[in-house]
Amino acid sequence: QVQLVESGGGLVQAGGSLRLSCAASGRTFRTYGWFRQAPGKEREFVSAFRWSDGGTYYADSVKGRFTISGDNADNTAYLQMNSLKPEDTAVYYCAARFGRTGLTGNPALYDTWGQGTQVTVSS
């Protein structure tokens, strides 16, 4: 079965860093995306990455702080999160698009989703 397995979430103090990982199995995806959902709020786009050219796309709220990347050797996507703020607290989800290359923040256009990993930033 094609699936995404996430790891790297946890508790960190404001100003700290975390690196989330998303390991894909079954198929190679052309585009990865990261989304997050805070309690009582809708899921929101964080970042997207395209394998073919390393293209990236970031939400304004994380520009300059988060970096998305991918390791083709192990088919894993990463989200490096620096200068974390309490408002970054959320469940973070990895998503992938198979057979599509467009970078998008629309969750409806992603084919496969991970289970989510909790990120909590304390003040």
Side-chain angles (χ1 to χ4, degrees):
Q1 180 182 5
V2 176
Q3 62 179 353
L4 306 176
V5 179
E6 302 177 14
S7 62
L11 175 65
V12 65
Q13 293 207 103
S17 299
L18 286 173
R19 175 174 288 180
L20 305 184
S21 299
C22 175
S25 62
R27 300 293 297 274
T28 298
F29 296 89
R30 294 188 178 186
T31 304
Y32 284 98
W34 289 93
F35 293 78
R36 65 188 182 186
Q37 187 168 19
K41 296 185 178 181
E42 297 294 321
R43 190 168 299 185
E44 65 175 349
F45 170 73
V46 176
S47 185
F49 174 83
R50 182 168 55 218
W51 288 108
S52 60
D53 62 356
T56 60
Y57 177 43
Y58 295 94
D60 288 341
S61 60
V62 304
K63 286 181 179 178
R65 299 189 298 121
F66 292 9
T67 302
I68 190 170
S69 63
D71 185 347
N72 193 51
D74 59 4
N75 202 27
T76 301
Y78 300 96
L79 184 68
Q80 177 67 47
M81 305 185 294
N82 298 326
S83 301
L84 284 163
K85 305 174 181 179
E87 50 263 45
D88 294 318
T89 296
V91 177
Y92 283 70
Y93 297 90
C94 178
R97 304 185 75 193
F98 178 73
R100 304 294 296 273
T101 60
L103 296 173
T104 179
N106 184 354
L109 299 181
Y110 286 80
D111 301 308
T112 303
W113 291 81
Q115 79 288 348
T117 184
Q118 177 70 47
V119 172
T120 302
V121 184
S122 66
S123 59

